[in-house]
Amino acid sequence: MISFTSHFALLILLSLLLLIIATCDAGCLWKPTRLNINNDIGPGLDLTIHCKSKNDDLGQHVVPSGGEYTIDFCSNFWRSTLFFCGVSWSGKFHWFDVYDASRDSSRCGNCNWTIHATGPCMDYYNYYTKEFVCYPWNDKAYLQ
């Protein structure tokens, strides 16, 4: 029969392990995620992009026409990671969810986004076939 002390020690050990897993930024529990964001809004138009999550602000970057910006990260333990990006060019501003774990965790180990003036489009591999899906810009009312 296992004693109370053994149960308590096991509980402490499991609690410490979960705490380390939940707070560790050094490694991923799952495969790291890479998002490539390509500027295809028009010839000669630079895209200013600013991506954030609840915990990380990746700063503002300028992506030249035909250029690419890459984000590498690890989804959190609860798989609730959400990254969103604000994009602007020629006085226009839009935003979109570049990674929503509830939508993307099963398909994005390496996803490619192409930013068009009409909205963002993602391509990814679904096993051996390449999938392509476009999304509308998010509602601006949420940013106010």
Side-chain angles (χ1 to χ4, degrees):
M1 183 177 272
I2 299 176
S3 69
F4 172 76
T5 306
S6 297
H7 277 159
F8 185 72
L10 183 60
L11 179 64
I12 294 295
L13 182 62
L14 288 173
S15 297
L16 286 173
L17 180 62
L18 283 175
L19 180 64
I20 289 169
I21 289 171
T23 59
C24 183
D25 289 333
C28 292
L29 291 177
W30 297 272
K31 182 179 173 184
T33 300
R34 170 168 279 189
L35 306 175
N36 303 302
I37 305 169
N38 299 286
N39 175 0
D40 191 26
I41 54 174
L45 293 175
D46 289 344
L47 177 73
T48 301
I49 187 166
H50 191 165
C51 299
K52 299 179 181 184
S53 73
K54 179 180 176 183
N55 300 316
D56 297 305
D57 184 337
L58 303 179
Q60 185 170 297
H61 303 272
V62 177
V63 182
S65 180
E68 179 179 271
Y69 172 63
T70 300
I71 302 171
D72 292 309
F73 63 93
C74 296
S75 192
N76 66 22
F77 178 74
W78 298 274
R79 293 194 162 214
S80 61
T81 301
L82 173 67
F83 271 96
F84 58 93
C85 297
V87 294
S88 61
W89 70 93
S90 301
K92 296 179 174 81
F93 176 80
H94 298 285
W95 69 285
F96 69 104
D97 298 330
V98 70
Y99 183 85
D100 182 343
S102 64
R103 178 189 72 195
D104 302 323
S105 64
S106 64
R107 61 183 175 184
C108 278
N110 189 5
C111 281
N112 298 300
W113 284 92
T114 302
I115 307 303
H116 303 283
T118 55
C121 297
M122 179 202 310
D123 66 71
Y124 60 94
Y125 283 93
N126 186 2
Y127 298 101
Y128 299 107
T129 60
K130 191 170 189 176
E131 303 286 331
F132 186 79
V133 61
C134 292
Y135 297 94
W137 297 114
N138 286 357
D139 184 2
K140 289 182 184 169
Y142 290 118
L143 293 177
Q144 297 174 358

